[in-house]
């Protein structure tokens, strides 16, 4: 026996009556095996500490990560073990867990074998490793010698009594009790002690697949907090990732078993800190002019709502856009470094203002097929014509044969835009070419301006006009290191901002230069969200696509509402057979929202016709606007749940499933109907 173990054994002594205020007779009546089981070494499990405000909790690693940490324990060097999908690194000897992709204080890591819980505690807490070693030595002696009712005293004053293998209690000294505890019975109330993680009620998370099928970057909106609990973008993305992992297990179980489905990695993109940090000094400048009254409300306004104004300022818009692009590129490079085997595609998600930032970035990406470095031109004249040369414009329109005719009259693009049809006719230009030139001058053709800007009555603000001309503030738009597969917008004000910028219509042929899919996802009560499809298809009144419930059907209150609406319609249209028809209408089962087989239709029959309508090319001809189903309680008062609706996406399983379906459809893996 080692010296350390011998010293710990000396701390063990027979229990004395006064050490245990509770009667031990009841302990002796427990059903005990006549032959003591042989001693078996306790199996450890690794935990990490999470501190939030005044709350400290210990959370278990997955069994796979715990085993990796245990296997690295015997190494002489300070081994670094990647855990939690390689988003964190654990320095084993240091017992610290470090975030890889974002700034976060390191957290303590513990190899846990013994746990305790008080009467008022909801969860078991792990003892320190030294304390656990002492308990394990005492337990080993008690089992080996079959001698129980032993007392283990610690220098700090705690006393642990091993009554029998199933009943072990810790007693706190009076000096360590909470000051507000006054009654003697509460002062002597013991803690329950358990050995091994299998003997406590704790949910050990499933390990994450090492195979990453797709990478998604998520950009937050205004302010430092992303939900009503004032959590950061990191915490909210963690929730979204957890929801997606759970849905993969229920809706892609067969794909997981066949090895076709690994997981999707979601990484947060934080730009708020860079804008409000010391580098810009904007917070200090704003604070100097902020009134002292209603200080909390003003501080909230400065931290959140002002971000909207900052984005419309050329100075701070540049900071925001640069931060988002550089952070996305940094995360992308780091992810590729840690996952060299990754060959999947990458998508982006923007919430609220974050979606507008991504929209502007994606609008201004360059491709190899476009003009080299695509010159950025500032036009003071609100004329919607591109600032290409006259020759380039005529070549693009296929009218280069009329170049000499126009040059003889000293016409350039600006003067050409002022020409009427009669002027062009006097020059001898035929009807067909005349119409092309006039349509081009009006900005109604995809060759010139696929996003049509209404002529403004003021030119006080200096705007950029690219060959897609959506009227952003004049800044340099950085390039992403990859071409996104899909852009998902959550609770997005894109439609409103485009309209305020003077954009009346999005040409159906317009697509992002490097991203060919776009989904506008919103809650029906979200006060910040706006639609996109009416800006593309104005002649048809399209209802948004209803996002299926993740359990495979409409929410019950919506089914009831639809059934009542159908019954009312039947009563109006068929008076004679109203009762029979109405009852059949009411009893009609809804079409499954999520099909059990890949060849089945995934939308109700009444929406099939709408889905066949091509809504421009922003989403490859498919529908763009997708609306969530409100919860029953939300339908009672839409105003009461308005703010919550704008922040609901991070925990929305319906939203997460829509993303997964889009991602895995492109990988050829069909969504499965979960078993009810």
């Amino acid at each position: 026996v080692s010296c350390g173990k011998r010293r710990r054994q000396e701390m063990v002594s027979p229990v004395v009556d006064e050490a245990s205020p509770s009667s031990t007779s009841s302990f002796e009546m427990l059903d005990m095996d006549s032959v003591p089981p042989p001693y078996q070494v306790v199996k450890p499990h690794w935990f990490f500490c999470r501190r939030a405000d005044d709350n400290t909790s210990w959370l278990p690693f997955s069994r796979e990560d715990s085993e990796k940490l245990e296997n690295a324990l015997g190494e002489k060097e300070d081994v670094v073990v990647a855990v939690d999908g390689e988003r964190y690194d654990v320095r084993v000897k240091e017992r610290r867990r470090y975030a890889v992709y974002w700034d976060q204080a390191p957290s303590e890591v513990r190899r846990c074998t013994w746990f305790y819980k008080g009467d008022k505690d909801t969860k078991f807490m792990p003892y320190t490793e030294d304390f656990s070693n002492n308990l394990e030595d005492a337990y080993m002696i008690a089992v080996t010698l079959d001698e129980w009712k032993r007392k283990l005293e610690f220098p700090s004053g705690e006393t642990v009594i091993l009554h029998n293998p199933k009943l072990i209690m810790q007693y706190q000294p009076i000096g360590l009790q909470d000051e507000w505890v006054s009654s003697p019975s509460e002062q002597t109330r013991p803690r329950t002690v358990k050995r091994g993680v299998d003997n406590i009620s704790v949910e050990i998370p499933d390990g994450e697949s090492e195979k990453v099928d797709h990478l998604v970057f998520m950009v937050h909106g205004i302010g430092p907090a992303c939900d009503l609990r004032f959590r950061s973008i990191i915490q909210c993305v963690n929730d979204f990732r957890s929801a997606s992992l759970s849905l993969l297990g229920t809706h892609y179980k067969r794909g997981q078993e066949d090895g076709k489905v690994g997981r999707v990695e979601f990484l947060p993109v934080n730009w708020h800190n860079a804008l409000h940090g010391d580098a810009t000094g904007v917070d200090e400048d704003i604070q100097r002019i902020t009134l002292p009254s209603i200080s909390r409300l003003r501080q909230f306004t400065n931290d959140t709502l002002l971000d909207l104004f900052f984005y419309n300022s050329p100075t701070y818009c540049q900071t925001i856009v640069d931060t988002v692009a550089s952070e996305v590129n940094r995360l992308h490079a780091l992810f590729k470094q840690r996952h060299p085997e990754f060959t999947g595609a990458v998508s982006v998600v923007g919430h609220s203002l974050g979606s507008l930032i991504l929209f502007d970035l994606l609008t201004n990406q360059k491709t190899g097929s476009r003009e080299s470095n695509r010159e950025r031109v500032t036009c003071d004249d609100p004329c919607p014509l591109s600032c290409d040369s006259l020759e380039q414009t005529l070549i693009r329109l296929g009218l280069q044969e009329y170049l000499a005719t126009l040059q003889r009259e000293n016409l350039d693009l600006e003067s050409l835009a002022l020409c009427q049809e009669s002027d062009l006719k006097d020059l001898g230009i035929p009807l067909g070419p005349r119409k092309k030139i006039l349509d081009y001058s009006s900005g109604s053709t995809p060759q010139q301006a696929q996003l049509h800007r209404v002529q403004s009555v003021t030119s006080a603000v200096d705007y950029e006009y690219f060959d897609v001309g959506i009227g952003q503030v004049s800044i340099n738009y950085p390039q992403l290191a990859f071409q996104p597969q899909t852009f998902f917008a959550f609770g997005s004000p894109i439609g409103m901002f485009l309209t305020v910028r003077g954009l009346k219509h999005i040409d159906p042929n317009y697509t992002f230069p490097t991203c060919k899919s776009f989904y506008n996802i919103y809650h029906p009560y979200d006060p910040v969200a706006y639609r996109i499809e009416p800006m593309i298809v104005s002649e048809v009144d399209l209802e948004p696509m209803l996002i299926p419930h993740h359990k495979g059907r409409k929410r019950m209150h919506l089914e009831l509402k639809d059934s009542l609406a159908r019954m009312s319609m039947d009563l109006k249209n068929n008076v004679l057979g109203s009762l029979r028809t109405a009852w059949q209408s009411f009893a009609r089962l809804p079409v499954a929202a999520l099909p059990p087989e890949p060849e089945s239709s995934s939308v109700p029959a009444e929406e099939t016709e709408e889905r066949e309508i091509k809504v421009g090319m922003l989403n490859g001809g498919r529908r763009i606007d997708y609306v969530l189903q409100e919860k029953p309680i939300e339908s009672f008062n839409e105003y009461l749940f308005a703010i919550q609706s704008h922040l609901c996406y991070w925990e929305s399983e319906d939203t997460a499933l829509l993303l997964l379906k889009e991602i895995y459809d492109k990988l050829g893996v069909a969504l499965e109907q979960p078993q009810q």
Side-chain angles (χ1 to χ4, degrees):
V1 181
S2 65
C3 295
K5 185 171 291 186
R6 187 179 298 113
R7 283 195 297 270
R8 290 196 293 268
Q9 290 175 2
E10 292 171 354
M11 299 172 63
V12 180
S13 60
V15 66
V16 293
D17 292 340
E18 59 268 24
S20 177
S22 302
S23 171
T24 61
S25 60
S26 60
F27 303 152
E28 297 171 351
M29 296 174 63
L30 292 174
D31 182 21
M32 299 293 297
D33 294 333
S34 57
V35 179
Y39 170 76
Q40 294 181 343
V41 178
V42 65
K43 184 177 181 180
H45 195 93
W46 291 71
F47 283 64
F48 64 93
C49 182
R50 174 180 292 171
R51 288 186 171 86
D53 299 329
D54 296 332
N55 184 31
T56 298
S57 58
W58 285 86
L59 304 175
F61 287 102
S62 68
R63 296 193 185 275
E64 292 84 348
D65 286 345
S66 182
E67 289 179 6
K68 288 194 296 183
L69 292 168
E70 187 67 18
N71 294 335
L73 192 60
E75 300 290 338
K76 294 182 179 179
E77 302 296 329
D78 188 7
V79 180
V80 176
V81 177
V83 296
D84 296 326
E86 297 200 21
R87 293 181 298 277
Y88 290 88
D89 284 337
V90 172
R91 297 179 184 175
V92 179
K93 290 189 180 298
E94 189 181 329
R95 297 293 200 271
R96 286 288 185 273
R97 171 177 172 265
Y98 293 87
V100 172
Y101 295 104
W102 51 80
D103 291 332
Q104 182 178 332
S107 55
E108 182 183 353
V109 170
R110 191 173 288 178
R111 182 178 183 264
C112 304
T113 53
W114 285 80
F115 305 84
Y116 68 89
K117 182 169 77 73
D119 283 351
K120 297 182 179 179
D121 295 332
T122 57
K123 296 181 180 179
F124 277 89
M125 298 282 285
Y127 283 112
T128 63
E129 294 185 31
D130 286 342
F131 200 105
S132 295
N133 289 336
N134 290 332
L135 289 174
E136 184 64 20
D137 288 345
Y139 180 84
M140 179 187 66
I141 294 172
V143 170
T144 304
L145 301 179
D146 194 22
E147 294 180 358
W148 297 97
K149 299 182 183 178
R150 304 177 68 88
K151 180 171 64 175
L152 185 64
E153 295 179 338
F154 290 85
S156 57
E158 294 96 338
T159 299
V160 176
I161 300 178
L162 290 76
H163 295 289
N164 60 55
K166 297 182 180 179
L167 184 63
I168 303 172
M169 308 296 290
Q170 176 192 344
Y171 298 87
Q172 292 284 91
I174 300 299
L176 294 182
Q177 297 290 332
D178 294 332
E179 294 180 358
W180 57 269
V181 176
S182 56
S183 68
S185 61
E186 290 186 356
Q187 288 181 341
T188 57
R189 188 167 293 161
R191 290 173 169 175
T192 301
V193 180
K194 294 292 183 181
R195 176 178 182 264
V197 71
D198 294 335
N199 291 318
I200 65 173
S201 56
V202 62
E203 184 177 352
I204 298 178
D206 296 328
E208 298 182 24
S209 172
E210 294 184 359
K211 177 175 176 282
V212 180
D213 302 319
H214 200 89
L215 174 62
V216 180
F217 297 111
M218 310 190 84
V219 182
H220 67 83
I222 61 173
C226 294
D227 66 1
L228 290 177
R229 287 177 282 173
F230 296 97
R231 297 184 304 162
S232 68
I233 178 65
I234 297 170
Q235 295 169 303
C236 290
V237 172
N238 285 344
D239 274 356
F240 197 88
R241 186 189 304 109
S242 297
S244 75
L245 289 172
S246 177
L247 289 168
L248 286 175
T250 55
H251 292 72
Y252 290 91
K253 188 174 183 179
R254 192 182 311 147
Q256 289 181 329
E257 293 171 350
D258 295 341
K260 296 179 180 179
V261 173
R263 64 183 175 92
V264 177
E265 182 60 279
F266 296 89
L267 295 179
V269 178
N270 189 338
W271 55 265
H272 184 270
N273 292 345
L275 174 64
H276 293 268
D278 295 334
T280 63
V282 65
D283 281 7
E284 184 178 345
D285 295 339
I286 292 294
Q287 193 60 43
R288 284 200 299 266
I289 60 175
T290 301
L291 301 181
S293 59
I294 54 173
S295 58
R296 290 187 179 180
L297 180 57
R298 295 187 191 278
Q299 187 62 44
F300 172 79
T301 301
N302 291 349
D303 287 342
T304 56
L305 299 182
L306 284 186
D307 287 346
L308 292 171
F309 298 99
F310 288 142
Y311 189 67
N312 284 293
S313 156
T315 301
Y316 297 111
C317 179
Q318 187 71 66
T319 300
I320 294 173
V321 170
D322 286 346
T323 301
V324 170
S326 63
E327 181 68 1
V328 167
N329 287 339
R330 181 189 71 84
L331 293 172
H332 181 258
L334 185 55
F335 178 85
K336 294 281 286 185
Q337 177 186 333
R338 294 179 67 88
H339 297 267
E341 74 288 349
F342 176 74
T343 58
V346 184
S347 293
V348 291
V349 169
H351 175 241
S352 189
L353 180 60
S355 65
L356 180 65
I357 298 169
L358 287 175
F359 185 91
D360 289 344
L361 265 175
L362 293 178
T363 300
N364 291 282
Q365 295 300 292
K366 304 168 186 175
T367 63
S369 62
R370 298 171 75 87
E371 295 87 357
S372 177
N373 293 326
R374 195 178 59 184
E375 291 295 326
R376 303 168 53 258
V377 187
T378 300
C379 300
D380 293 328
D381 191 341
C383 168
L385 279 171
S386 167
C387 294
D388 288 337
S389 68
L390 178 63
E391 181 178 5
Q392 289 174 320
T393 301
L394 292 177
I395 291 174
R396 184 181 296 126
L397 295 175
L399 303 176
Q400 56 267 34
E401 60 186 286
Y402 301 103
L403 176 62
T405 301
L406 297 175
Q407 287 179 336
R408 278 198 302 269
E409 302 294 330
N410 292 324
L411 288 173
D412 56 14
L413 284 179
E414 184 176 350
S415 54
L416 182 62
L418 301 175
C419 290
Q420 305 293 326
E421 183 174 7
S422 58
D423 298 325
L424 299 177
K425 185 177 181 180
D426 291 341
L427 294 176
I429 298 177
L431 178 61
R434 289 203 307 269
K435 291 297 184 183
K436 282 188 177 182
I437 294 175
L438 292 172
D439 285 346
Y440 182 83
S441 299
S442 66
S444 61
T445 63
Q447 291 94 336
Q448 189 278 320
Q450 292 169 322
L451 293 175
H452 178 58
R453 178 176 182 273
V454 178
Q455 186 165 330
S456 175
V457 296
T458 175
S459 58
V461 180
D462 183 25
Y463 282 101
E464 290 272 340
Y465 300 98
F466 300 85
D467 55 353
V468 293
I470 72 167
Q472 298 106 314
V473 175
S474 175
I475 64 169
N476 296 313
Y477 284 91
Q479 301 299 297
L480 298 178
F482 58 91
Q483 295 192 359
Q485 175 177 283
T486 307
F487 169 29
F488 300 95
F490 294 172
S492 174
I494 290 174
M496 180 270 290
F497 269 86
L498 294 183
T499 302
V500 170
R501 289 172 177 175
L503 298 171
K504 184 177 181 180
H505 179 66
I506 299 176
D507 190 278
N509 293 315
Y510 176 69
T511 62
F512 296 119
T514 61
C515 180
K516 302 309 177 187
S517 298
F518 173 48
Y519 288 84
N520 182 40
I521 301 168
Y522 60 93
H523 189 283
Y525 302 154
D526 187 339
V528 180
Y530 289 81
R531 293 193 62 185
I532 295 293
E533 290 176 347
M535 297 188 70
I536 303 173
V537 184
S538 57
E539 65 275 9
V540 181
D541 186 15
L542 289 179
E543 290 293 322
M545 293 293 291
L546 186 67
I547 298 177
H549 190 271
H550 66 280
K551 291 185 178 179
R553 59 186 295 159
K554 281 187 178 181
R555 294 184 184 272
M556 191 61 67
H557 71 289
L558 294 180
E559 292 179 3
L560 179 61
K561 184 190 298 183
D562 291 347
S563 296
L564 291 173
R566 286 196 297 266
M567 183 174 69
S568 175
M569 186 62 65
D570 288 340
L571 286 169
K572 293 178 181 178
N573 295 339
N574 190 356
V575 178
L576 294 178
S578 61
L579 292 179
R580 182 182 61 184
T581 307
W583 173 251
Q584 291 175 347
S585 174
F586 188 84
R588 191 182 307 148
L589 291 175
V591 179
L594 295 176
E597 300 296 334
E599 62 269 14
S600 303
S601 174
S602 62
V603 294
E606 61 266 23
E607 289 179 3
T608 303
E609 184 178 349
E610 289 187 2
R611 192 169 194 175
E612 293 175 353
I613 298 175
K614 292 192 68 173
V615 189
M617 295 307 295
L618 264 179
N619 196 23
R622 299 175 296 172
R623 297 296 302 274
I624 297 172
D625 292 337
Y626 283 75
V627 61
L628 290 165
Q629 301 179 40
E630 73 270 19
K631 298 177 182 178
I633 191 173
E634 294 172 341
S635 62
F636 286 114
N637 191 327
E638 55 193 59
Y639 293 97
L640 184 63
F641 293 94
I643 301 300
Q644 179 179 322
S645 299
H646 182 58
L647 306 171
C648 73
Y649 308 97
W650 305 111
E651 296 177 327
S652 169
E653 293 170 300
D654 299 350
T655 302
L657 186 58
L658 179 63
L659 265 67
L660 293 177
K661 187 177 186 304
E662 164 67 12
I663 289 169
Y664 282 102
D665 278 356
K666 283 184 165 59
L667 294 174
V669 182
L671 180 142
E672 307 159 20
Q673 178 74 21
Q675 296 296 323
Q676 298 295 330

